[in-house]
Every structure is written in structure tokens, then in C-alpha cells.
């Protein structure tokens, strides 16, 4: 049985790298517009869980259902199409394309979805304004601060109106003040757009921006919402 | 917190009535715990006795008498001394949580579940504070941040302890 109205549900995921089990029976669910924090110590399998949920990694066993479709049985091409149309991503480091300006970086997901340059950059600029970094639109990632770069990354993750944003330690490289502001902007923007957020973090103060949290230990996730 | 020193400090900007003092205190420091009138008047009479404040005037306006208090030079010196003295860090060496964890281990109950429940409780409060911070002004943010950082420290201890439960079980075994 899956939780009613869930957008993304994983059941009993298993994944082994070599002889090391990364996931050992992990279950998870998220509703539309919900912010769920995935917590746990380093090496507990929380990033592997995120990669499986986002269709980046295929689990050895278990099922992942997104909006009623089984992700693990899709082809690679179908999965990348899904990631482009419905998912957004924010990581800890090095995610912006260094050769492109911050505006071009933000517009990239729309351009990949076939939106024309002018329209894409207009929407991108709106998102940069919302994330309070429209003043650096013409600069390249190497010319801006870590906090500014991360706001650009958040703008890019949300620009194509995804249904789910996957954020893996999105504030890991920022100081407290910048990290908090990024979390505030990310969760506010996502909630107002009814975008779900899967937030991997080991920091409790970051997790406190979520609606709910689950803990991954030794590859097993305890999702209290989840009824087996 | 020393209410006496805080009220004294509030008087430095000029004489005030007891009621004004209470209002200023509640607005700036008493979000969760506003002062009782009784506390204000008891504190002021102590400060008066110790020569740290003096009565600047008495008004009645037809109603009950209201004293207006002013800070004395001795009072100003007292506020300075208080601000210059660092607070004693509290090491919480005798924590109830630690006792509960050890008792759980000694009695064969699940210490891991105990830690997990405590963890959720802490995070629930952190969520409430984060929400309040988001909706509040800068003063609210700073007050909530102070509480959040302490709760976060507790949570880190909970995580560390959870990771060392097997070792701890051996150490405390009867």
C-alpha cells in the first residue's frame, strides 16, 4: 500500500556497490509541494537514495513510482526526458557551467526543453530576481561568490517549473547566514509553485526548513509516513 | 537572566514608571515569558534599597500613586560591571538524556528508539522555531537562532551517541 496522493514513492530499495550495500530496504514517499528532509550520517546511503529517486541510478531491487509510472522499468532515454521535464537539481558544488553567464546557466533547462532563447532568458531573469541575484546575470560563475552561485543554482533548478527538486547538501559549502537564506528562498519558492523538494542533508538546522524528515541508517530509511 | 540588571539598563535612556519598564522589557526580551507586575515592583524596591535607582517623582493623576524611577551613578556602574562579566558556560555534564540512555541499556530497553524519539522531538521544535524565525523580525531571528544552535548541538550529541551505543553498552554493563 502506498501513502495516498503521493507523487513519488520508493518501496524496499536495494543497491550494492561492489560488495558494499548502499541501500538495504529503503522506502520513501513525497507528496506534491511537500519538503522532505533525508537525514543520516555520512555513508548511510542518503545520497544513493536521492540518486535512485531521481532516476540517475537504477536500484538492484525495489520499485520507484513517479506520478503512477514505474521509473525503474523506463529506458535511459525515457528517464533523461523525465528528469528534464519534471525534475530540478541542486548540488553542493560545481554544478554551473563555467563558460556560460549566470543568466544562460539559469535558462539552460528551458533551452534543453526547446524553449526559444529570448523567452527562456526572460523567465530565467524572473527567477534570478526572485532569488535576489539578478544583478549578477551577466557574470560567469567564476566571478561570483559561493552564496550567489548557489542561488543561481536554485533558480536554475526551479526555472522549468519542475514537479520535484532534488537537493543534495545544497548549503554544504556556504556559511550559516548564506545557507539559511538559500534554504529560505528554496523552500518558499518551491512551496509557492507546489514543487516537492527532496532535501538530503546532515545538518539539523537545514532539515528544520522541511515539513517532514526521514532518517537513513545503514541503507535503511525509516519513513514514518510510509505504511507497509 | 538577571531581571534587575536588565531593568537597570533600560533606565539608562531616561526615567520611567514601573509600567513602562515592564512594557519595554516584554517587548524586547519577554517574548515567551512576560514579566509579572509583582516581579517589577519587587525588583525596583530592591534596586532602590541598594541605591542603584532613586525615585524621580511621584504622580497620582487621581488614581493610585505611580513612582517614576531614575538610575543612579552606582546603578550605571553596576550595569557596566554586569555587561563586562562573561557568562559562565554551562557544560550540562549531568544530562537527563544521558541518564535515560544508560538506564535503557542497563534495563534491556531500546536505547536506539529512545534516541530516535528524542531526535524527532528536537527536530519538531527546530521546525517551529525556524517557521517563527521566517515570519519574525531581526530580533525574533536572533532569539530563535540562539535556541536553534543549542538544539542542534543536542542533536549532534544524539547522533554521536546513537553511533556509539554498542560501545556504551559494554562500558556500562553491570
Amino acid at each position: 500500500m502506498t501513502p495516498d496522493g503521493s507523487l513519488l514513492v520508493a518501496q524496499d530499495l536495494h543497491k550494492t556497490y561492489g560488495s558494499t550495500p548502499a541501500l538495504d530496504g529503503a522506502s520513501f514517499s513525497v507528496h506534491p509541494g511537500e519538503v522532505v528532509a533525508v537525514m543520516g550520517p555520512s555513508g548511510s546511503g542518503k545520497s544513493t537514495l536521492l540518486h535512485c529517486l531521481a532516476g540517475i541510478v537504477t536500484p538492484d531491487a525495489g520499485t520507484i513510482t513517479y506520478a503512477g509510472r514505474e521509473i525503474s522499468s523506463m529506458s535511459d532515454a525515457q528517464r533523461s526526458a523525465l528528469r528534464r521535464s519534471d525534475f530540478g537539481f541542486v548540488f553542493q558544488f560545481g554544478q554551473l557551467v563555467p563558460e556560460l553567464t549566470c543568466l544562460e546557466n539559469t535558462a539552460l533547462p528551458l533551452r534543453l526543453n526547446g524553449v526559444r532563447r529570448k523567452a527562456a532568458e526572460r523567465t530565467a531573469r524572473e527567477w534570478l530576481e526572485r532569488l535576489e541575484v539578478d544583478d549578477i546575470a551577466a557574470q560567469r560563475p567564476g566571478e561570483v561568490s559561493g552564496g550567489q552561485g548557489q542561488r543561481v543554482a536554485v533558480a536554475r533548478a526551479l526555472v522549468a517549473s519542475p514537479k520535484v527538486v532534488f537537493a543534495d547538501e545544497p548549503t554544504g559549502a556556504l556559511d550559516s547566514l548564506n545557507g539559511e537564506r538559500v534554504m529560505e528562498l528554496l523552500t518558499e519558492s518551491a512551496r509557492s509553485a507546489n514543487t516537492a523538494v527532496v532535501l538530503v542533508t546532515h545538518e539539523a538546522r537545514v532539515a528544520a526548513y522541511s515539513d517532514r524528515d526521514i532518517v537513513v541508517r545503514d541503507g535503511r530509511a525509516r519513513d514514518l509516513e510510509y505504511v507497509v | 537572566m538577571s531581571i534587575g540588571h536588565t531593568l537597570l539598563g533600560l533606565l539608562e535612556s531616561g526615567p520611567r514608571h514601573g509600567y513602562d519598564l515592564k512594557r519595554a522589557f516584554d517587548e524586547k526580551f519577554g517574548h515567551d515569558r512576560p514579566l509579572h507586575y509583582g516581579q517589577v515592583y519587587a525588583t525596583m524596591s530592591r534596586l532602590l534599597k541598594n541605591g542603584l535607582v532613586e525615585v524621580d517623582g511621584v504622580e497620582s493623576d487621581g488614581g493610585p500613586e505611580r513612582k517614576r524611577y531614575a538610575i543612579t551613578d552606582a546603578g550605571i556602574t553596576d550595569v557596566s560591571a554586569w555587561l563586562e562579566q562573561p557568562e559562565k558556560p554551562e557544560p550540562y555534564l549531568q544530562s537527563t538524556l544521558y541518564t535515560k540512555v544508560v538506564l535503557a541499556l542497563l534495563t534491556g530497553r531500546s536505547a536506539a528508539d529512545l534516541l530516535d524519539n528524542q531526535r524527532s522531538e528536537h527536530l519538531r521544535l527546530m521546525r517551529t522555531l525556524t517557521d517563527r524565525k521566517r515570519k519574525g523580525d531581526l530580533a525574533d531571528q536572533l532569539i530563535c537562532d540562539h535556541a536553534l544552535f543549542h538544539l542542534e548541538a543536542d542533536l549532534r550529541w544524539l547522533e554521536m551517541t546513537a553511533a556509539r551505543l554498542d560501545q556504551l553498552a559494554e562500558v556500562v554493563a553491570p
Side-chain angles (χ1 to χ4, degrees):
Chain A
M1 190 178 140
T2 60
D4 284 344
S6 290
L7 179 63
L8 180 62
V9 182
Q11 286 176 292
D12 200 22
L13 299 185
H14 290 259
K15 177 73 186 175
T16 302
Y17 291 113
S19 60
T20 317
L23 290 179
D24 187 18
S27 297
F28 177 88
S29 69
V30 63
H31 291 79
E34 189 185 29
V35 181
V36 179
V38 179
M39 302 188 70
S42 309
S44 59
K46 51 189 192 303
S47 289
T48 305
L49 175 61
L50 180 136
H51 291 151
C52 287
L53 292 171
I56 298 170
V57 165
T58 311
D60 301 333
T63 57
I64 303 166
T65 318
Y66 169 73
R69 297 156 72 194
E70 174 55 53
I71 290 188
S72 22
S73 62
M74 288 181 188
S75 68
D76 282 352
Q78 284 172 318
R79 272 207 306 266
S80 357
L82 177 70
R83 280 202 299 273
R84 274 207 308 273
S85 62
D86 287 36
F87 296 168
F89 295 89
V90 187
F91 297 110
Q92 184 174 355
F93 294 117
Q95 47 198 325
L96 298 176
V97 183
E99 292 81 7
L100 301 181
T101 65
C102 289
L103 182 67
E104 290 164 341
N105 263 290
T106 308
L108 200 56
L110 292 172
R111 299 283 291 136
L112 290 173
N113 284 345
V115 178
R116 284 175 182 282
R117 181 181 203 100
K118 240 184 162 167
E121 293 194 348
R122 196 164 50 234
T123 309
R125 194 172 285 279
E126 284 168 16
W127 276 100
L128 288 178
E129 275 168 26
R130 206 152 160 183
L131 273 294
E132 303 168 347
V133 281
D134 47 317
D135 54 326
I136 55 158
Q139 296 182 47
R140 294 197 162 71
E143 300 163 347
V144 305
S145 74
Q148 290 171 323
Q150 207 59 351
R151 290 179 198 206
V152 174
V154 171
R156 188 179 64 176
L158 289 161
V159 75
S161 308
K163 299 283 186 292
V164 189
V165 165
F166 295 93
D168 195 351
E169 302 282 6
T171 63
L174 304 179
D175 62 48
S176 298
L177 206 54
N178 265 302
E180 301 249 343
R181 191 73 191 125
V182 164
M183 281 314 299
E184 228 173 272
L185 292 166
L186 169 62
T187 49
E188 260 174 35
S189 312
R191 284 192 179 107
S192 64
N194 205 32
T195 299
V197 179
V198 180
L199 167 70
V200 165
T201 182
H202 67 278
E203 282 184 77
R205 272 181 311 111
V206 172
Y209 282 89
S210 66
D211 301 309
R212 187 160 66 81
D213 63 292
I214 68 154
V215 184
V216 185
R217 281 208 179 91
D218 303 325
R220 284 183 295 273
R222 278 200 188 186
D223 189 342
L224 301 178
E225 178 94 333
Y226 194 86
V227 190
V228 180
Chain B
M1 171 165 44
S2 164
I3 294 171
H5 286 117
T6 312
L7 293 181
L8 267 183
L10 288 173
L11 278 179
E12 279 205 29
S13 59
R16 291 175 194 250
H17 292 110
Y19 176 75
D20 285 343
L21 273 175
K22 174 195 152 43
R23 219 175 38 188
F25 181 98
D26 289 350
E27 192 189 306
K28 293 199 165 59
F29 310 110
H31 290 264
D32 292 323
R33 270 181 274 174
L35 285 182
H36 297 293
Y37 286 110
Q39 274 175 296
V40 178
Y41 293 113
T43 307
M44 292 321 287
S45 59
R46 181 171 54 79
L47 296 175
L48 200 57
K49 204 175 80 190
N50 294 339
L52 302 175
V53 298
E54 58 195 11
V55 175
D56 183 57
V58 180
E59 292 160 20
S60 61
D61 293 340
E65 280 192 352
R66 297 194 306 162
K67 284 180 189 161
R68 203 169 60 212
Y69 299 97
I71 191 165
T72 61
D73 287 347
I76 294 173
T77 309
D78 202 53
V79 172
S80 299
W82 183 57
L83 292 180
E84 283 161 18
Q85 175 71 39
E87 292 296 306
K88 189 176 173 206
E90 292 179 35
Y92 302 111
L93 285 178
Q94 298 296 329
S95 128
T96 312
L97 273 178
Y98 173 76
T99 310
K100 281 189 168 181
V101 170
V102 172
L103 265 184
L105 290 172
L106 287 175
T107 56
R109 294 181 169 92
S110 170
D113 285 354
L114 184 158
L115 290 169
D116 258 356
N117 285 339
Q118 190 60 51
R119 202 192 142 280
S120 322
E121 194 60 29
H122 265 65
L123 207 60
R124 209 186 335 266
L125 179 56
M126 288 182 78
R127 226 173 245 132
T128 309
L129 289 167
T130 301
D131 201 43
R132 185 171 141 186
K133 195 168 91 168
R134 199 160 39 201
K135 293 169 185 155
D137 56 14
L138 182 59
D140 265 327
Q141 289 171 19
L142 291 177
I143 290 168
C144 291
D145 269 339
H146 188 261
L148 281 166
F149 278 113
H150 277 86
L151 289 167
E152 186 189 30
D154 280 351
L155 264 177
R156 287 168 73 168
W157 180 85
L158 291 169
E159 286 296 334
M160 286 280 277
T161 308
R164 291 160 151 184
L165 272 183
D166 292 345
Q167 274 174 279
L168 183 63
E170 281 173 32
V171 175
V172 300

